Amino acid sequence: MATSKKAKNAARTAKGKAKEATGRAVGNESLEAKGRAEQAKGDAQQAVEKGKDALKH
């Protein structure tokens, strides 16, 4: 997997976790949901990249 894509996906997941935690702390359900969605997007992209790597080898 390209290191830059791996870092980008990990950053997106971390950003989502931060948003979710902030939303939970301040009681903002919308921000919390956006954080969960961002985490899911990062995780999905990570899975796609791993799948590509598996097909290459």
Side-chain angles (χ1 to χ4, degrees):
M1 175 184 325
T3 305
S4 63
K5 287 185 179 183
K6 183 176 180 180
K8 187 176 181 180
N9 294 335
R12 177 172 279 136
T13 301
K15 184 177 173 185
K17 286 180 183 184
K19 277 186 183 179
E20 182 182 9
T22 302
R24 189 176 302 125
V26 297
N28 185 335
E29 292 179 14
S30 175
L31 184 60
E32 193 174 343
K34 286 179 185 177
R36 282 193 300 270
E38 196 161 346
Q39 284 180 68
K41 186 174 181 180
D43 290 341
Q45 288 177 338
Q46 194 82 335
V48 167
E49 291 300 320
K50 286 182 180 180
K52 287 179 184 178
D53 282 348
L55 291 174
K56 288 181 183 178
H57 298 285

